[in-house]
Amino acid sequence: MTYVVTENCIRCKFMDCVEVCPVDCFYAGENFLVINPDECIDCGVCEPECPAEAIFPDSDDRAAAWAEINASYSTQWPNITRKGAQPADAEEWKDKPNKKELLSSAPHKD
């Protein structure tokens, strides 16, 4: 089992989860984070740290549609090991539904 970042992260990208990950398995896109399933050790410390409640175990039905997205982008985007600045409007996007079409495939830029 692994953990999966889901739609609630889009445009929020709080990154609290990154700080607690013991194996640095998070990867950053322009407006979304993903978890590399081959690196995740299923410790679960990231799940309660997410203010947007966007992280679920892959066994959860809410994660099913996002597992492949996490696996794919984690091989394309840069690894992130420290919490960066969240978007200025992150709180406004936190609980908005139907954000999937806003997911950018672009990697995070410093």
Side-chain angles (χ1 to χ4, degrees):
M1 186 166 80
T2 185
Y3 279 80
V4 176
V5 181
T6 63
E7 183 174 26
N8 288 353
C9 181
I10 298 171
R11 304 261 337 236
C12 292
K13 199 174 154 188
F14 288 107
M15 295 182 272
D16 297 57
C17 52
V18 173
E19 284 288 303
V20 298
C21 182
V23 294
D24 298 331
C25 66
F26 281 89
Y27 291 77
E30 180 178 39
N31 68 357
F32 187 63
L33 297 175
V34 295
I35 294 172
N36 184 317
D38 295 329
E39 297 172 357
C40 178
I41 59 170
D42 188 33
C43 68
V45 297
C46 58
E47 184 179 19
E49 294 300 317
C50 179
E53 298 179 355
I55 301 174
F56 300 98
D58 65 356
S59 59
D60 189 302
D61 290 342
R62 295 170 287 186
W66 293 89
E68 182 55 38
I69 291 169
N70 277 244
S72 177
Y73 285 127
S74 68
T75 65
Q76 299 171 44
W77 290 347
N79 181 248
I80 184 170
T81 60
R82 293 190 178 149
K83 181 178 178 177
Q86 68 193 36
D89 60 352
E91 284 293 334
E92 295 172 38
W93 285 97
K94 183 175 161 186
D95 296 317
K96 290 196 179 192
N98 305 316
K99 298 189 288 183
K100 188 173 184 178
E101 67 275 358
L102 301 174
L103 174 60
S104 170
S105 61
H108 173 79
K109 294 178 184 160
D110 289 327

